[in-house]
Amino acid sequence: MSLSVKSIESEKKQNSLADEPTSSSEVSSSEKQHDRDNSTIVKIHNDKKSKKGKGKEKEKEDVDVFAHLPEHEASILRSQVDVKPSKASFFSMYRYATSFDVAILVFGNLCSIISGALLPTMTVVFGKLTQTFTNYFAYGGDPNKFQSDINHFTLYFVYLGIAEIVFTVVETYIHIERGEVLVGRIRQEYLAATLRQNIGYFDKLGSGEITSRITADTNLVQEGMSEKVGLCVTSLATFVAAFVIGFIKSWKLTLILTSIVVAIVLTMGVLSSFMIKFSIRSLDGYSVGGTLAEEVFSSVRNVQAFGVQDRLAQDYDKYLAITEKWGSLQGATLGIMLGALWFFIYNDYALGFWQGSRFMVTGDVDVSDIIAVLMSLLIGAFSLGQIAPNVKSITNGISAAANIFATIDRTSIIDATTDEGEVLESVKGDIELQDVKFIYPSRPDVTVLEHMSLKIPAGSTVALVGASGSGKSTIIGLVERFYLPLAGVVTLDGKDLSTLNTRWLRHNISLVSQEPTLFACSIYENIQHGLIGTPHEHASEEEKRKLVIAACESANAWDFIQTLPEGLDTNVGERGFLMSGGQKQRIAIARAIVSNPKILLLDEATSALDTKSEGIVQDALDKASKKRTTIVIAHRLSTIKDADLIVVMSKGVIVEQGTHNELLDKQGMYYELVEAQKIEKLKKPAGDENVDDDVASDGKMEYREDTNILDITRTKTRQSVSSLVVKDRKLPEKKTYTVWSSIKMLANLGTPERHFTILGAASAVINGLAYPTQSVFFAKCVTAFQYPPEFFGKMRAQVNLYAGLFFMLAFVEGVAYIFTISVLSYTGQKLVRRIRYQSFRQMLRQDISYFDREENTTGVLTSTLSKDAQSVEGLSGATLGQILNSSVTLIAGLILSIAVAWKLALVCTACMPILVGCGFLRFWLLAQFQNRAKKAYEKTASYACEATSAIRTVASLTREDNVLQSYKVAIESQVSRSRVSTVRSSFLYGLGQGLTFFIMALGFWYGSTLLKVGEYSSDQFFITFISVVFGSQSAGTVFSFAPDMGKAKQAAQNIHALFDSLPEVDAWSNDGIAPKDVQGNIEFRDIHFRYPTRPEVPVLRGLNLSIKKGQYVALVGSSGCGKSTTIGLIESFYLPLAGKILLDGQDIRELNVNEYRSHLALVQQEPVLYAGSIRYNIKLGTPRDVTDEEIFAVCRQANIHDFIISLPDGYDTLCGSKGSLLSGGQKQRVAIARALIREPKVLLLDEATSALDSESEKIVQEALDKAAKGRTTIAVAHRLSTIQNADVIYVFEDGKVLESGTHQELLSNRSKYYELVQLQALERN
């Protein structure tokens, strides 16, 4: 009986876990979601589309994507991407177990069987004790003999308790510890297998797939191999032992009561399948909403600039409605399941006592048999119920293992970890491509190279130029042997690359790519990775340091490294994020040249840098490429004009080749590319210099005095104004929230459903009264059995009455459970939806500085939305019902027992904390086991993910063995660290299982001493014993929700803090003036600014600039000088620390922020599109409703209307998650159309073309020039050719304007601008 509630709770707990995405799966689900068919994401925007899309997706899976190619080519491509599915079974999870492991596991399972069989054995002892009581009261006898019999049986309880503790501790420890060891081996094998795969394999996988395998899937395997196996074996043993005991005691009664067991098992089976179905639907609905939230947070500047917070929140709420619907259905199903369960349990008592009394009359059974059969069958039924959730964990583990083993068993077609292949004595560096044909395995319908032949002589520098997609990077991939060509050969010094050893080949080649990948370690360690595979790999530390420093000097990196606090030992941060672009690039160059490679490959190594950093890095590259074969890819032609040979490519073929001057003379494709990037030269002045009125003779701006401006020169203390403002700023105090205040906030949020909550709570109280009521009925039935045979008629009458009352109790409790859980789940789901919706809106209300903070990254905010709201259910919904239920059971049980037999009640009550504690301990530790396993491997998982996500870098540095060694050490130390805590928690878990037996022994022993002297009747004893001891055990299971309650408390406090946070720039505020008749004059007066997250770094230091309406103004300067910050301040993303920004003479602080922003439009460097149609994305440009005609008009202006019309679905074409289905140039033009639909007075362009290749840039630049007509335009640019026609160019340095004027005026100044132009010049050499 005691176990009845526990097992339901565990069942229920498993189900509640089904609705809560666990942290590990969350990581992966959002990433997997990105790789899902985009049509699902936009289900609501575009239902018809999505059906079409899904259909196509289904077809795609069935169709062989290589079918259109000749068999020979198809087989080469297949070999690079195909993964044969692996079949996994329960035993195959143990494939890395040694015979020693197997022996230990067999012993562990033996202990599990014994510990499981001990539980139903308790019912035999309980029955014997009840029989002793009955005999004593029915037939009288010697009190001392009575006492000694009781003592004899009570000792059995003590022995059972000790055995239970010992066997449970041993089996729990063995299962967890061996599980961890074996999964550690699987983790190592998986990473080793992943690192040896060819690059084509990774192109086919979604970005998050390997991450989720290493994090989520290995955790699932560990769960399926650890304590869950032990729990399954224990439960099975309990079930078998229970039935064996039942049949030994009374086969007839056992068979009759089996009907109830069958009913319980069938109900659970059928309803839990519905629960799983509803849970999956609810999760699916939310994961799509979660993807939308993730897209929105990652582009929050865009959202605020366009003022579309409300529209996106409504879109988000549509997904929440789906989740709420299925979540409520799931709750109702759980209600019906638990209601049916309790209905059957109380019917089991009714049937057992009724039929038992009949058998007793015929002499087939005695009291001890009835009690033993009744209780052991219930224990058996519930142990069967407990198997289901654990089996689910094991099957999840098996299916996760199948995915992992598929990778482990895959043989890679290009394996750099083997010793196969020839190794040349020396390398000259002659590279040749002979008639090469190439297709990417992940894009089989696009031929990238066709009949490509190219000779690269040793020691020369060859540059590849052309539009994106022309096959430049592909050549580098083939030289590195990342892929296999379909026809032709690539040779090194006349030897076919496919005959050479891949690892040796990569040791002789160094690669620097556009976005260099650094690993999360020190600068020194990063550069030292370049020495792998060279004779210096195992040199002394001192020698290595010398080589590293020499490489840093050659790469122009030594100067900046010396200025860092820890020099070479400075950590670069995850993926190098603590370094600027130029610094990262120079460290990558040092890493590439430290091994003095024979061949250097530079793939767009400077494109992401500003002119100044580019100059320094270019210098480093020119030094690096001397005396070795170098292949360079560049979009900025100024960086490659000195190359020995320039190869111009288009659509996979070579169009022309020669030196810079030769190609200019041909006036072909290269000449056109140069013209597009050319910057106008200084014209000789005719007569006097034509200087702008504002510019004084020294080229500096002069401004009229303004009495309002704070005197922001330098104050007396020699500190800048901004540093004084920052110093005087008081940091907002962190508010702490009490549990009570959080509960009050939740209660306010749940106000609309409060009537339902009250009804549910009242019904939970009825559930809680079941145990005390049952204790009375049970005691009365046992007392009735004490009638001697001559009064059996009376006995039957009394038993029949209480059996009838048990049936009534079954009905009442069944209905009450259905009502409690259905109603409270409904209110819980409503609350979760409301919290998510309001949190989402509240997050979008915050200003940009909120999103800059480290604790508010996109990932954190997305998981807060998904997890915190879900966790709050831990203080509401079904959990709330369970807490009320258990509290009432405890309180009512106490009151009843003290009223009936106070002495015994007090002794039993003293044990109550221990019993409740045991219930808590058991569930808390089971939750701990899971969390610890996940937490422990987070660090090693992130290390593995870092390596796999940078697989090209790892492969080109041949770092595979080095990564594996570090990973192996980390895993092994983690396993040995875990052992201590496993011993501790296994011991506590065993103690929690065994203590119950000791307390039962105490209750019977002390109760018998009171009964012996006639102080209490057996009636009083059973009422007290059952209501307190069994009641406490059931109440203890409420603590299985302790982790949920802990999470709920934390989550409620987080939500409370979010709801209370008021941003400085508040998009919800109605304060401020609405600007009328906006012209578009913008003025900065003495602006000082520092980013709130980096208050020690001054960005703008007294910036003054004036922009007249209709002007096209450009801001230029090296990176970090404050250009993009200026755009951010105009958009009112931040407030300046001092000074004023004026629109048409009015301080923008006084304007209403939404009204003010409605006159601006922003186009960023990386355009942000959302998962939806092109039409939907353009409409997001403005909160008002727009017609199709308006949309067509702005698309014509943005040079993209014709392209959209040419698509099969036209304006209803889906853009994909983050616009992934469109190219860079197409995305940028859609973004321009979206900006124009606002009809802005001021257009802000932040590096709008820098990420594009020359051809796309030309088209987009034309669109921008059209868009700028008739409105004030402010452009930030690195490529000066794009802004040479601006009305005014402001040159920034150190947060101030250094000089300003037109292109010609600035050239004649021969100052900073002149230098920048020289760096990007493309004249003849």
Side-chain angles (χ1 to χ4, degrees):
M1 186 182 348
S2 61
L3 288 187
S4 51
V5 182
K6 290 181 196 145
S7 29
I8 308 166
E9 297 319 331
S10 88
E11 174 80 10
K12 173 167 160 200
K13 181 130 191 74
Q14 295 294 337
N15 289 320
S16 73
L17 285 176
D19 352 331
E20 188 175 339
T22 54
S23 55
S24 56
S25 67
E26 210 143 7
V27 176
S28 52
S29 71
S30 71
E31 284 157 332
K32 282 181 191 158
Q33 189 64 31
H34 282 295
D35 309 324
R36 275 196 198 171
D37 175 19
N38 290 296
S39 48
T40 7
I41 300 175
V42 228
K43 196 175 281 176
I44 283 165
H45 308 311
N46 227 312
D47 219 25
K48 249 193 308 198
K49 282 287 142 335
S50 92
K51 281 178 192 153
K52 237 190 258 181
K54 275 188 191 159
K56 285 179 194 162
E57 190 78 355
K58 182 93 189 89
E59 284 163 31
K60 260 187 218 163
E61 280 170 25
D62 304 335
V63 172
D64 176 9
V65 285
F66 304 118
H68 62 288
L69 297 167
E71 186 45 44
H72 159 68
E73 294 182 1
S75 69
I76 292 178
L77 292 177
R78 261 191 221 109
S79 67
Q80 295 179 71
V81 289
D82 274 5
V83 183
K84 289 191 177 64
S86 171
K87 281 206 164 58
S89 64
F90 175 69
F91 292 107
S92 71
M93 289 202 288
Y94 294 89
R95 59 150 81 172
Y96 298 112
T98 61
S99 47
F100 173 68
D101 297 322
V102 173
I104 291 184
L105 286 166
V106 168
F107 177 66
N109 283 318
L110 204 64
C111 292
S112 295
I113 291 171
I114 297 170
S115 110
L118 290 173
L119 199 54
T121 318
M122 175 272 291
T123 62
V124 178
V125 181
F126 197 96
K128 288 286 184 205
L129 285 162
T130 313
Q131 184 68 50
T132 311
F133 275 45
T134 307
N135 293 348
Y136 180 65
F137 282 101
Y139 309 111
D142 177 10
N144 293 328
K145 169 135 183 15
F146 167 66
Q147 185 69 61
S148 84
D149 284 350
I150 294 287
N151 293 355
H152 172 71
F153 286 124
T154 321
L155 275 176
Y156 281 127
F157 268 137
V158 177
Y159 303 146
L160 281 174
I162 292 169
E164 182 67 42
I165 290 173
V166 171
F167 287 114
T168 305
V169 170
V170 173
E171 68 94 4
T172 309
Y173 175 75
I174 287 177
H175 279 112
I176 293 177
E177 192 268 347
R178 280 297 106 183
E180 200 151 354
V181 169
L182 293 174
V183 174
R185 288 180 205 156
I186 292 177
R187 284 187 160 104
Q188 290 171 38
E189 291 289 339
Y190 178 70
L191 184 64
T194 306
L195 293 175
R196 67 166 183 265
Q197 300 305 330
N198 52 295
I199 302 293
Y201 168 82
F202 293 94
D203 295 346
K204 201 79 172 151
L205 288 182
S207 59
E209 194 159 327
I210 293 174
T211 312
S212 77
R213 291 262 181 281
I214 266 179
T215 48
D217 288 3
T218 48
N219 281 337
L220 288 174
V221 175
Q222 186 166 339
E223 223 174 277
M225 288 172 75
S226 301
E227 75 278 3
K228 301 287 193 217
V229 178
L231 289 171
C232 263
V233 174
T234 305
S235 299
L236 261 174
T238 303
F239 179 74
V240 173
F243 270 80
V244 169
I245 288 169
F247 279 110
I248 290 172
K249 285 286 179 190
S250 164
W251 67 268
K252 281 189 198 163
L253 188 57
T254 303
L255 273 179
I256 290 170
L257 291 182
T258 306
S259 59
I260 301 274
V261 176
V262 172
I264 288 177
V265 172
L266 280 177
T267 314
M268 301 278 255
V270 171
L271 290 176
S272 60
S273 69
F274 276 103
M275 279 191 64
I276 291 166
K277 189 169 98 181
F278 294 150
S279 157
I280 289 170
R281 293 219 173 144
S282 150
L283 280 179
D284 277 355
Y286 186 70
S287 64
V288 180
T291 302
L292 173 74
E294 197 256 354
E295 284 190 331
V296 170
F297 293 140
S298 61
S299 60
V300 68
R301 283 177 165 72
N302 202 60
V303 173
Q304 300 219 345
F306 288 102
V308 286
Q309 295 95 322
D310 280 352
R311 185 177 307 174
L312 289 166
Q314 281 158 15
D315 286 344
Y316 179 64
D317 193 43
K318 289 174 188 168
Y319 297 114
L320 296 184
I322 300 171
T323 306
E324 182 202 323
K325 173 184 151 189
W326 295 113
S328 300
L329 275 171
Q330 190 190 352
T333 314
L334 179 65
I336 295 169
M337 186 153 102
L338 283 178
L341 203 63
W342 282 104
F343 179 71
F344 292 136
I345 290 169
Y346 290 124
N347 274 330
D348 181 77
Y349 285 119
L351 181 60
F353 281 124
W354 179 76
Q355 186 59 48
S357 67
R358 291 177 64 189
F359 282 152
M360 198 167 163
V361 172
T362 59
D364 286 334
V365 295
D366 60 13
V367 178
S368 76
D369 298 336
I370 296 174
I371 299 292
V373 170
L374 248 180
M375 290 175 68
S376 66
L377 285 194
L378 273 180
I379 289 174
F382 280 106
S383 67
L384 203 61
Q386 277 177 320
I387 291 176
N390 295 324
V391 166
K392 189 166 168 244
S393 296
I394 293 172
T395 50
N396 286 349
I398 293 170
S399 50
N403 292 335
I404 290 171
F405 292 155
T407 304
I408 293 178
D409 298 336
R410 180 179 191 269
T411 42
S412 170
I413 192 83
I414 305 172
D415 185 351
T417 57
T418 66
D419 297 324
E420 287 169 20
E422 193 182 339
V423 172
L424 303 181
E425 286 297 307
S426 64
V427 177
K428 287 203 333 238
D430 280 317
I431 295 173
E432 190 176 353
L433 282 81
Q434 300 170 6
D435 201 25
V436 168
K437 176 178 183 183
F438 181 77
I439 294 178
Y440 280 105
S442 53
R443 295 202 303 269
D445 38 359
V446 182
T447 304
V448 182
L449 299 179
E450 187 82 84
H451 301 305
M452 166 65 69
S453 294
L454 174 65
K455 263 196 178 134
I456 299 167
S460 63
T461 298
V462 173
L464 309 176
V465 300
S468 50
S470 58
K472 308 184 297 293
S473 301
T474 305
I475 291 180
I476 283 189
L478 288 170
V479 172
E480 273 274 14
R481 200 143 187 264
F482 286 159
Y483 301 98
L484 300 177
L486 297 190
V489 286
V490 183
T491 64
L492 170 64
D493 295 348
K495 289 272 184 187
D496 183 348
L497 291 191
S498 61
T499 63
L500 300 176
N501 176 280
T502 306
R503 190 184 324 154
W504 170 86
L505 171 72
R506 288 179 187 163
H507 286 163
N508 285 290
I509 298 177
S510 285
L511 168 69
V512 181
S513 54
Q514 178 172 4
E515 298 198 351
T517 304
L518 300 184
F519 298 97
C521 51
S522 68
I523 296 177
Y524 169 69
E525 288 168 298
N526 265 296
I527 296 174
Q528 184 196 292
H529 289 150
L531 292 171
I532 294 173
T534 66
H536 305 292
E537 183 178 1
H538 304 294
S540 66
E541 265 314 282
E542 202 179 324
E543 201 179 320
K544 281 192 197 170
R545 272 201 179 254
K546 276 186 193 153
L547 288 167
V548 167
I549 292 171
C552 292
E553 284 167 346
S554 307
N556 276 352
W558 186 235
D559 294 345
F560 90 79
I561 292 174
Q562 282 176 301
T563 63
L564 298 171
E566 293 171 56
L568 266 181
D569 298 314
T570 307
N571 195 315
V572 299
E574 189 187 345
R575 303 201 179 166
F577 80 91
L578 298 177
M579 302 281 138
S580 76
Q583 291 170 342
K584 270 203 297 202
Q585 203 57 283
R586 282 175 276 167
I587 294 170
I589 293 168
R591 177 175 68 191
I593 59 180
V594 70
S595 61
N596 194 14
K598 286 286 189 283
I599 299 163
L600 185 62
L601 308 175
L602 306 173
D603 187 356
E604 287 270 3
T606 64
S607 75
L609 307 178
D610 61 78
T611 310
K612 188 177 173 187
S613 320
E614 181 180 29
I616 297 171
V617 173
Q618 195 51 51
D619 237 16
L621 291 175
D622 294 343
K623 271 192 211 169
S625 55
K626 289 211 169 68
K627 296 189 192 147
R628 52 175 66 105
T629 311
T630 310
I631 303 178
V632 190
I633 294 179
H635 280 151
R636 293 199 202 168
L637 305 181
S638 52
T639 59
I640 51 108
K641 57 184 185 196
D642 302 329
D644 300 321
L645 178 69
I646 296 171
V647 177
V648 184
M649 297 174 64
S650 174
K651 297 180 183 159
V653 291
I654 295 177
V655 182
E656 50 185 2
Q657 49 185 339
T659 62
H660 178 69
N661 291 348
E662 288 166 10
L663 291 171
L664 284 183
D665 292 339
K666 282 190 186 169
Q667 296 217 350
M669 187 166 165
Y670 183 74
Y671 178 77
E672 283 172 25
L673 292 174
V674 169
E675 285 304 303
Q677 286 189 23
K678 209 168 209 176
I679 305 170
E680 193 184 358
K681 288 220 306 268
L682 175 62
K683 292 177 185 142
K684 291 282 176 285
D688 64 300
E689 193 83 27
N690 174 19
V691 181
D692 202 277
D693 300 344
D694 291 2
V695 182
S697 52
D698 62 354
K700 296 277 193 297
M701 305 288 273
E702 278 182 355
Y703 282 96
R704 60 182 190 287
E705 284 298 315
D706 186 327
T707 45
N708 295 339
I709 296 182
L710 299 162
D711 184 20
I712 302 190
T713 42
R714 286 248 160 188
T715 41
K716 303 281 183 294
T717 57
R718 306 290 302 145
Q719 282 184 311
S720 68
V721 161
S722 57
S723 64
L724 288 175
V725 175
V726 168
K727 216 163 79 181
D728 294 344
R729 271 199 172 175
K730 285 192 174 51
L731 278 173
E733 284 177 23
K734 261 209 152 171
K735 270 172 110 178
T736 48
Y737 297 96
T738 60
V739 177
W740 179 239
S741 68
S742 301
I743 290 175
K744 264 196 339 208
M745 175 206 66
L746 291 179
N748 288 338
L749 278 173
T751 308
E753 290 83 41
R754 67 166 178 270
H755 301 306
F756 286 109
T757 310
I758 292 165
L759 276 173
S763 162
V765 171
I766 297 173
N767 297 147
L769 292 171
Y771 254 99
T773 314
Q774 175 204 337
S775 68
V776 176
F777 296 170
F778 189 92
K780 291 294 184 196
C781 287
V782 174
T783 323
F785 291 140
Q786 291 168 6
Y787 284 110
E790 57 269 28
F791 292 109
F792 271 176
K794 211 168 178 188
M795 179 267 285
R796 284 291 319 278
Q798 193 171 336
V799 170
N800 289 351
L801 167 68
Y802 284 103
L805 287 173
F806 263 122
F807 179 71
M808 176 211 73
L809 184 63
F811 187 76
V812 171
E813 287 300 311
V815 172
Y817 260 101
I818 292 173
F819 198 77
T820 307
I821 291 178
S822 308
V823 168
L824 291 177
S825 291
Y826 168 75
T827 61
Q829 287 297 330
K830 282 276 184 208
L831 180 69
V832 168
R833 174 179 174 183
R834 199 167 293 125
I835 288 174
R836 277 184 176 151
Y837 178 64
Q838 293 193 9
S839 301
F840 185 69
R841 286 193 43 146
Q842 184 70 21
M843 285 170 180
L844 290 185
R845 173 192 187 179
Q846 302 306 315
D847 50 22
I848 299 295
S849 62
Y850 172 86
F851 296 92
D852 290 345
R853 280 182 238 143
E854 216 168 282
E855 67 269 24
N856 296 329
T857 59
T858 300
V860 170
L861 294 176
T862 313
S863 81
T864 300
L865 268 187
S866 113
K867 276 202 291 224
D868 280 359
Q870 196 70 52
S871 301
V872 165
E873 252 195 315
L875 279 178
S876 65
T879 319
L880 178 68
Q882 199 45 53
I883 295 170
L884 278 171
N885 174 346
S886 292
S887 314
V888 172
T889 297
L890 281 179
I891 295 162
L894 265 179
I895 294 170
L896 175 69
S897 56
I898 287 174
V900 172
W902 68 272
K903 279 187 183 172
L904 181 59
L906 288 180
V907 169
C908 290
T909 306
C911 303
M912 217 184 222
I914 300 178
L915 281 168
V916 171
C918 287
F920 161 69
L921 207 62
R922 269 222 308 287
F923 282 101
W924 181 73
L925 285 167
L926 281 178
Q928 282 301 94
F929 291 152
Q930 282 182 22
N931 292 339
R932 209 197 56 231
K934 276 180 197 147
K935 279 253 168 3
Y937 291 101
E938 266 170 14
K939 213 167 167 192
T940 53
S942 75
Y943 176 77
C945 296
E946 180 189 48
T948 51
S949 59
I951 186 68
R952 283 165 187 268
T953 309
V954 171
S956 66
L957 291 170
T958 62
R959 254 200 81 193
E960 293 92 347
D961 291 346
N962 166 293
V963 168
L964 264 180
Q965 270 321 99
S966 312
Y967 187 65
K968 190 173 173 205
V969 170
I971 291 270
E972 282 167 3
S973 72
Q974 184 50 55
V975 169
S976 56
R977 270 205 305 276
S978 295
R979 283 197 178 108
V980 183
S981 62
T982 306
V983 169
R984 204 172 43 232
S985 42
S986 302
F987 176 70
L988 287 173
Y989 183 63
L991 204 61
Q993 292 282 45
L995 278 174
T996 318
F997 290 109
F998 298 156
I999 287 166
M1000 286 188 173
L1002 173 70
F1004 268 106
W1005 171 79
Y1006 181 64
S1008 66
T1009 58
L1010 296 172
L1011 289 170
K1012 185 176 70 176
V1013 295
E1015 196 162 332
Y1016 292 138
S1017 67
S1018 69
D1019 218 356
Q1020 290 166 298
F1021 169 79
F1022 277 111
I1023 289 177
T1024 308
F1025 185 82
I1026 288 173
S1027 66
V1028 176
V1029 175
F1030 287 173
S1032 316
Q1033 273 185 282
S1034 110
T1037 57
V1038 73
F1039 286 107
S1040 62
F1041 296 102
D1044 294 3
M1045 278 146 52
K1047 274 194 222 151
K1049 177 185 141 205
Q1050 192 49 55
Q1053 289 172 347
N1054 294 350
I1055 291 164
H1056 205 161
L1058 172 66
F1059 284 2
D1060 282 356
S1061 79
L1062 282 175
E1064 252 193 316
V1065 181
D1066 187 355
W1068 284 11
S1069 162
N1070 293 322
D1071 301 345
I1073 310 157
K1076 295 269 186 299
D1077 189 28
V1078 173
Q1079 299 297 306
N1081 298 303
I1082 289 180
E1083 189 181 343
F1084 273 56
R1085 284 195 197 162
D1086 222 351
I1087 292 292
H1088 287 246
F1089 178 75
R1090 300 176 177 211
Y1091 282 101
T1093 46
R1094 297 197 301 274
E1096 67 290 344
V1097 183
V1099 182
L1100 298 181
R1101 317 177 186 198
L1103 177 67
N1104 291 299
L1105 46 91
S1106 164
I1107 298 164
K1108 308 269 188 297
K1109 75 166 187 177
Q1111 270 189 335
Y1112 187 108
V1113 173
L1115 313 178
V1116 300
S1118 53
S1119 58
C1121 65
K1123 309 181 297 292
S1124 295
T1125 305
T1126 308
I1127 300 275
L1129 288 172
I1130 295 175
E1131 268 289 2
S1132 201
F1133 288 156
Y1134 305 94
L1135 298 177
L1137 292 174
K1140 287 183 177 180
I1141 302 171
L1142 309 174
L1143 172 71
D1144 296 342
Q1146 221 172 358
D1147 189 341
I1148 65 170
R1149 277 176 187 244
E1150 295 163 7
L1151 303 176
N1152 175 282
V1153 69
N1154 284 329
E1155 289 292 335
Y1156 163 65
R1157 281 184 187 154
S1158 69
H1159 298 288
L1160 312 176
L1162 171 68
V1163 181
Q1164 291 163 290
Q1165 176 172 2
E1166 304 233 328
V1168 178
L1169 301 185
Y1170 301 101
S1173 63
I1174 294 178
R1175 177 184 279 108
Y1176 167 75
N1177 270 291
I1178 293 173
K1179 279 185 169 175
L1180 278 180
T1182 173
R1184 66 190 174 84
D1185 283 330
V1186 289
T1187 63
D1188 277 357
E1189 274 55 50
E1190 288 178 88
I1191 293 177
F1192 298 160
V1194 293
C1195 286
R1196 282 196 187 92
Q1197 259 183 296
N1199 268 357
I1200 195 162
H1201 177 70
D1202 297 338
F1203 163 73
I1204 297 174
I1205 293 296
S1206 72
L1207 296 169
D1209 293 335
Y1211 278 85
D1212 293 325
T1213 303
L1214 298 175
C1215 300
S1217 169
K1218 299 192 175 158
S1220 56
L1221 300 180
L1222 301 178
S1223 76
Q1226 293 158 359
K1227 276 201 290 202
Q1228 198 57 286
R1229 284 177 287 161
V1230 172
I1232 294 168
R1234 178 177 61 196
L1236 296 179
I1237 199 91
R1238 291 172 79 72
E1239 300 174 347
K1241 291 287 186 286
V1242 179
L1243 183 61
L1244 306 172
L1245 308 173
D1246 190 357
E1247 288 271 3
T1249 63
S1250 73
L1252 307 177
D1253 61 75
S1254 306
E1255 268 181 41
S1256 318
E1257 178 177 32
K1258 210 157 116 189
I1259 301 171
V1260 172
Q1261 194 55 50
E1262 274 173 30
L1264 289 174
D1265 295 343
K1266 267 195 212 169
K1269 287 203 173 69
R1271 47 175 66 97
T1272 310
T1273 306
I1274 302 167
V1276 171
H1278 280 152
R1279 293 199 200 168
L1280 304 180
S1281 55
T1282 59
I1283 51 99
Q1284 54 190 359
N1285 301 324
D1287 300 325
V1288 184
I1289 298 169
Y1290 284 99
V1291 183
F1292 279 56
E1293 189 160 52
D1294 294 335
K1296 294 204 270 279
V1297 173
L1298 180 70
E1299 52 178 350
S1300 66
T1302 62
H1303 176 69
Q1304 287 298 327
E1305 289 162 8
L1306 292 171
L1307 284 181
S1308 60
N1309 279 352
R1310 289 193 170 255
S1311 177
K1312 173 88 185 204
Y1313 184 76
Y1314 178 79
E1315 277 173 37
L1316 294 175
V1317 169
Q1318 291 314 310
L1319 282 169
Q1320 289 189 24
L1322 279 168
E1323 315 308 81
R1324 284 171 179 282
N1325 294 338

